[in-house]
Amino acid sequence: MSKQRNVAEAILEQLSAWGVKYIYGLVGDDIFYLMDALARRNTIKFYQVKHEESAAIMASAQAKLTGETGVCLADGGPGTAHLINGLADAFMDNVPVLAITGQVARKDIGTNKKQYVDQQSLLRPLVSYTGLLCDPAATPQVLENAWRPAVAGRSVSHVSVPMDVLPMPCEAAIIPPAPYLGSHPRSSAEVVQGALELMRKSHRPVILSGAGGRKAGRFLSELSLRWGAAIINTLAGTGVVDRYHPYYVGGLGHAGSPASARLLSQADLCLVVGANWWPQNYVPKDIPVIQIDLNPGHIGSTIPVAYGLVGDAGSLVEQLSSAITPDSNREWTGLIRKEINSWLNQLEQETSVQSSPVHPAALIRAIQQVAQDDAVICLDTGDHTVWFGRVFRPVRQQVLLSGKWRTMGFGLPAALAAKINRPAQKVLALVGDGGYAMTMADFLTAVKYNLDVKIVIMNNSCLAMEKNKMAAGGLLPEGTSLQNPDFAGYANNCGGLGLRVEHSMDLESTLRDALNSEGPSLVDVKTSALAVPGTTMPV
């Protein structure tokens, strides 16, 4: 007689039917049966991390990179609580993640049992759905209730399962995939025509692209040339248009090009594609905005819009580009080229400084020189993020970062997820010494699974962003100095490759050594704690 399927096995069978290939997490008492089921199933690979926070960040990073739903798994109590930071990152950046957590036995729910917490109340502010699976017959339905808002709403869902439910027999049928969940509304031809009428009246246009414009990159390039529009990007939109485009200016905001803000201040229309970020201090207050987004709920949610278009960015931008008459406004395009050239000359001066410790701009330029054209670059949160946005000029690289949540510790786990999901591409993480120290235990995860990730640390022995902002505000920078270990030695002790750079003359050769090595490697770069130009106290 064959063994009857239990709830744990049914959960994995259901997830596998929906295309889940990877689960990130850490074992605990409440999920023993799920771990046993994972060990017996070869369609889903489990990646064990050192801390549940990394598992949730990995799920978020997978969703940002691939658009697919990332899945993380944790024990109840502390394990569930450790997921919160990564789930918040996914929730704030509108990417699909499903978290599954164990729970105490049903008879202990609502009691003073050790490690019991009302998980639904704990996670409700950071998820679109949270449910408790308390009967085997409800297994597929509860999972589908969670799956739908994650996929269709690009959000975070959560299911908790009491430990005594997991081994129970489950005869419930698996729910097949629902391709329509990926369907999205699209603006009609008449609505598109309204946007074109506004665009044709513009004489000084600018295009701002975010991560949502990535699939529209070729058409954005064409539209920019036909319309005579400067093209700038958010940090997450890095690589949507490459640095060789004649009207590509750079990033926007503090982590961006001053030329972008200057051009926007003179523009008479901004077309925003796949971005919902609008830095108030760097954009004119009265500029008309046309926003394109896949989600109608995002139109005007953070940007004051004059007009909105809903749908796939690629097809909409292609439609706009083919209908725009080629531009002959040489005065505006000449100004765009003048601003770009002026900015490139300034960048050349900033990045050419030869020094020890290394100038942050010189490090970013070296990364630009050695990074493969299609590399995935994972940014942690800190001063290095702003330097990267200011200096790095992309080809086709894709950047992953903690956008609105801006958590430190994001870079390393994101790189692990990127390599798992894009094994043929080079994956590099640029991290600060403060952020890296938060999740550095998971360098061991890279070694355990032989994930060929490259970590570059901007090591200035302080929390430079906080230090410089406090100093700019006339405050004493208490709590910003860091006591760091030997990061390179740590990487070597973990079984990876650790290298150190103390002078900018050694940057490119050492970075190439790391990139050309097999397996996980780390380059510890001693950098100065120079303030990014324009650093001020936060508002």
Side-chain angles (χ1 to χ4, degrees), residues 188-407:
S188 67
E190 291 77 14
V191 174
V192 174
Q193 188 61 38
L196 281 167
E197 290 175 7
L198 287 175
M199 292 170 66
R200 287 172 180 143
K201 294 176 183 177
S202 171
H203 300 290
R204 300 184 304 279
V206 169
I207 298 169
L208 170 63
S209 178
R214 181 162 297 278
K215 292 182 180 179
R218 178 166 66 90
F219 302 118
L220 279 171
S221 297
E222 293 174 359
L223 175 60
S224 170
L225 293 172
R226 291 176 63 88
W227 195 22
I231 187 160
I232 58 184
N233 58 258
T234 67
L235 198 53
T238 301
V240 169
V241 173
D242 69 57
R243 60 178 178 252
Y244 304 112
H245 191 286
Y247 300 156
Y248 173 66
V249 185
L252 177 65
H254 189 199
S257 158
S260 298
R262 288 196 294 267
L263 286 167
L264 261 176
S265 70
Q266 301 172 71
D268 61 3
L269 181 66
C270 182
L271 176 67
V272 178
V273 182
N276 57 7
W277 179 71
W278 193 247
Q280 298 293 341
N281 295 337
Y282 295 87
V283 293
K285 290 183 172 59
D286 55 353
I287 186 171
V289 173
I290 300 173
Q291 185 180 1
I292 295 176
D293 203 284
L294 196 63
N295 187 335
H298 291 170
I299 304 291
S301 63
T302 55
I303 300 171
V305 301
Y307 206 87
L309 293 176
V310 176
D312 173 72
S315 59
L316 283 172
V317 174
E318 181 183 17
Q319 191 174 348
L320 294 174
S321 180
S322 63
I324 283 287
T325 303
D327 175 75
S328 58
N329 185 356
R330 298 186 182 278
E331 181 181 354
W332 177 240
T333 54
L335 180 59
I336 294 171
R337 292 299 305 158
K338 181 180 177 181
E339 286 286 3
I340 292 172
N341 290 334
S342 174
W343 171 235
L344 291 180
N345 289 335
Q346 182 181 336
L347 263 186
E348 190 61 34
Q349 295 177 19
E350 287 186 10
T351 59
S352 298
V353 177
Q354 298 290 318
S355 62
S356 178
V358 174
H359 192 291
L363 171 56
I364 303 304
R365 175 53 58 88
I367 290 173
Q368 176 184 305
Q369 294 299 105
V370 304
Q372 282 78 2
D373 289 354
D374 65 344
V376 179
I377 300 177
C378 303
L379 299 179
D380 214 297
T381 300
D383 217 44
H384 63 282
T385 320
V386 185
W387 279 110
F388 179 90
R390 179 180 178 85
V391 174
F392 190 86
R393 294 183 65 79
V395 183
R396 298 187 305 277
Q397 293 90 354
Q398 183 169 356
V399 168
L400 300 181
L401 76 158
S402 180
K404 288 188 175 179
W405 191 240
R406 298 189 180 184
T407 180

Side-chain angles (χ1 to χ4, degrees), residues 11-339:
I11 289 172
L12 297 184
E13 186 179 338
Q14 182 64 81
L15 294 179
S16 183
W18 289 336
V20 173
K21 296 181 178 64
Y22 310 116
I23 293 179
Y24 317 107
L26 188 60
V27 66
D29 292 26
D30 295 342
I31 55 172
F32 279 168
Y33 282 92
L34 267 170
M35 302 310 300
D36 175 75
L38 278 166
R40 299 172 189 277
R41 172 170 286 274
N42 58 16
T43 58
I44 297 179
K45 182 172 176 59
F46 177 74
Y47 284 89
Q48 177 204 54
V49 296
K50 292 294 183 181
H51 193 286
E52 292 91 349
E53 177 185 11
S54 291
I57 290 175
M58 290 171 74
S60 178
Q62 174 188 324
K64 291 176 182 183
L65 180 65
T66 68
E68 300 166 355
T69 303
V71 181
C72 54
L73 173 65
D75 195 25
T80 301
H82 285 165
L83 292 177
I84 288 176
N85 197 43
L87 298 183
D89 175 74
F91 186 75
M92 293 291 284
D93 282 350
N94 300 112
V95 294
V97 165
L98 171 63
I100 299 175
T101 59
Q103 180 58 288
V104 297
R106 288 173 298 173
K107 67 180 179 59
D108 296 319
I109 292 176
T111 71
N112 293 323
K113 180 73 173 181
K114 68 179 176 67
Q115 295 193 330
Y116 169 72
V117 66
D118 179 352
Q119 295 179 8
Q120 280 59 53
S121 295
L122 178 68
L123 296 180
R124 190 164 284 114
L126 299 171
V127 299
S128 293
Y129 172 88
T130 176
L132 176 66
L133 172 57
C134 53
D135 189 281
T139 300
Q141 187 61 64
V142 170
L143 286 173
E144 189 189 39
N145 288 350
W147 191 255
R148 282 176 174 270
V151 175
R154 296 185 61 79
S155 191
V156 179
S157 289
H158 165 246
V159 174
S160 52
V161 191
M163 61 188 304
D164 60 325
V165 172
L166 287 169
M168 291 181 175
C170 178
E171 298 179 355
I174 295 303
I175 298 174
Y180 54 82
L181 289 179
S183 301
H184 295 281
R186 177 187 167 92
S187 293
S188 67
E190 291 77 14
V191 174
V192 174
Q193 188 61 38
L196 281 167
E197 290 175 7
L198 287 175
M199 292 170 66
R200 287 172 180 143
K201 294 176 183 177
S202 171
H203 300 290
R204 300 184 304 279
V206 169
I207 298 169
L208 170 63
S209 178
R214 181 162 297 278
K215 292 182 180 179
R218 178 166 66 90
F219 302 118
L220 279 171
S221 297
E222 293 174 359
L223 175 60
S224 170
L225 293 172
R226 291 176 63 88
W227 195 22
I231 187 160
I232 58 184
N233 58 258
T234 67
L235 198 53
T238 301
V240 169
V241 173
D242 69 57
R243 60 178 178 252
Y244 304 112
H245 191 286
Y247 300 156
Y248 173 66
V249 185
L252 177 65
H254 189 199
S257 158
S260 298
R262 288 196 294 267
L263 286 167
L264 261 176
S265 70
Q266 301 172 71
D268 61 3
L269 181 66
C270 182
L271 176 67
V272 178
V273 182
N276 57 7
W277 179 71
W278 193 247
Q280 298 293 341
N281 295 337
Y282 295 87
V283 293
K285 290 183 172 59
D286 55 353
I287 186 171
V289 173
I290 300 173
Q291 185 180 1
I292 295 176
D293 203 284
L294 196 63
N295 187 335
H298 291 170
I299 304 291
S301 63
T302 55
I303 300 171
V305 301
Y307 206 87
L309 293 176
V310 176
D312 173 72
S315 59
L316 283 172
V317 174
E318 181 183 17
Q319 191 174 348
L320 294 174
S321 180
S322 63
I324 283 287
T325 303
D327 175 75
S328 58
N329 185 356
R330 298 186 182 278
E331 181 181 354
W332 177 240
T333 54
L335 180 59
I336 294 171
R337 292 299 305 158
K338 181 180 177 181
E339 286 286 3

Side-chain angles (χ1 to χ4, degrees), residues 431-451:
V431 302
D433 46 355
Y436 179 69
M438 290 185 174
T439 51
M440 63 187 285
D442 274 301
F443 189 83
L444 284 163
T445 303
V447 173
K448 176 175 181 174
Y449 296 105
N450 194 30
L451 298 174

